[in-house]
């Protein structure tokens, strides 16, 4: 099994930055990837960013492109989401997920990000 634990959320003013972390434990596969999703109050869960275990290829939603950066630290078994130029509309619970791209089998518990404007 793969276990994911997010951390790093909090309250930040618009224009500020936060770095979210997702600690990974358990078996990983070269064909798997890591992704970040978010869910704002009253809205559906949406994709934010992903990174592959093999090659480190990244992909971002248009809404965060140029502002967010997803990365990984293999020594720490951790995936990060660096968020900059935050907007009020970025307010959401952020989740990390693991699995084959498009089939996210494992999910963390989520961490709250609140951006004040």
């Amino acid at each position: 099994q793969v276990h994911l634990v997010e951390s790093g959320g909090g309250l930040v003013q618009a224009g500020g930055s936060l770095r979210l972390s997702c600690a990974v434990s358990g078996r990983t596969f070269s064909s798997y990837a890591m992704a970040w999703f978010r869910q704002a109050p009253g809205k559906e869960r949406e994709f934010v960013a992903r990174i592959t275990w093999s090659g480190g290829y990244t992909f971002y939603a248009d809404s965060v492109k140029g502002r967010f950066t997803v990365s990984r630290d293999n020594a720490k078994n951790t995936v990060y989401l660096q968020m900059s130029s935050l907007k009020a509309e970025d307010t959401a619970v952020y989740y990390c997920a693991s699995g084959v791209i498009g089939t996210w089998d494992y999910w963390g518990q989520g961490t709250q990000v609140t951006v004040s404007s």
Side-chain angles (χ1 to χ4, degrees):
Q1 294 185 351
V2 177
H3 301 278
L4 311 174
V5 179
E6 302 97 333
S7 62
L11 175 64
V12 63
Q13 292 187 357
S17 300
L18 280 176
R19 187 181 71 166
L20 306 183
S21 299
C22 179
V24 182
S25 62
R27 178 71 185 275
T28 59
F29 303 88
S30 61
S31 61
Y32 274 33
M34 297 292 297
W36 288 95
F37 291 80
R38 66 186 182 186
Q39 186 167 23
K43 295 187 176 181
E44 294 292 313
R45 182 180 62 195
E46 66 173 336
F47 168 80
V48 175
R50 68 171 182 254
I51 184 168
T52 62
W53 287 112
S54 179
Y57 299 105
T58 59
F59 184 77
Y60 300 90
D62 288 341
S63 60
V64 306
K65 195 174 299 180
R67 299 188 298 119
F68 291 11
T69 301
V70 62
S71 62
R72 53 181 173 141
D73 186 333
N74 291 330
K76 296 182 180 294
N77 295 317
T78 301
V79 176
Y80 302 97
L81 184 68
Q82 178 66 50
M83 307 184 295
S84 300
S85 300
L86 284 163
K87 307 173 181 179
E89 50 263 44
D90 294 319
T91 295
V93 176
Y94 284 71
Y95 301 89
C96 63
S98 178
V100 177
I101 295 174
T103 309
W104 307 108
D105 299 316
Y106 302 97
W107 294 81
Q109 83 289 344
T111 185
Q112 176 71 48
V113 172
T114 302
V115 183
S116 62
S117 61

